Amino acid sequence: MTAVNTSQHFDVDADQIWKVIGNFQTLHDWHPMVSKSESKEGGTVRQLTLPDGSSVTETLKDHDDKARSYTYAITQSAMPISNYVATIKVTPEKGGGCTVDWSSDFEAHASESDLVKGMEQLYRSGFDNLRKMFGAT
């Protein structure tokens, strides 16, 4: 299995960040690499449309508002990966602010280093946009 772990500090309250990212169906509202999210199966599945028109289907595995985290799996994608499971978690920090962790494990069916770089870039672009949304530079 291949693991990717990214973290980003934000100078805002954990609850503020969670209000933006905590809804499994609203990834398109804060992530620039997602054009649209279509809810399916009562909200436990999302079909994402990417800017190039391709799609990714993801299934929610666990959602915990109290812990400010959710875990999901990619069930359909053109990416050369399988058994992809990721977790997004928001943790308050002592003294203020919070940390957002986005991590995943998957089986790589192409260059592992290229896939890791691609996932890190995907997660970072979401973090960068959140920083802009919350007024950070």
Side-chain angles (χ1 to χ4, degrees), residues 91-107:
T91 306
E93 293 181 2
K94 291 182 180 178
C98 65
T99 298
V100 178
D101 297 293
W102 196 345
S103 61
S104 62
D105 292 301
F106 56 89
E107 291 180 31

Side-chain angles (χ1 to χ4, degrees), residues 46-59:
R46 64 185 178 194
Q47 184 164 352
L48 306 175
T49 302
L50 309 181
D52 67 1
S54 64
S55 68
V56 176
T57 303
E58 298 175 339
T59 300

Side-chain angles (χ1 to χ4, degrees), residues 115-128:
L115 287 168
V116 168
K117 286 178 190 173
M119 289 299 176
E120 288 174 341
Q121 181 181 5
L122 174 75
Y123 302 161
R124 289 275 164 222
S125 66
F127 289 162
D128 290 347

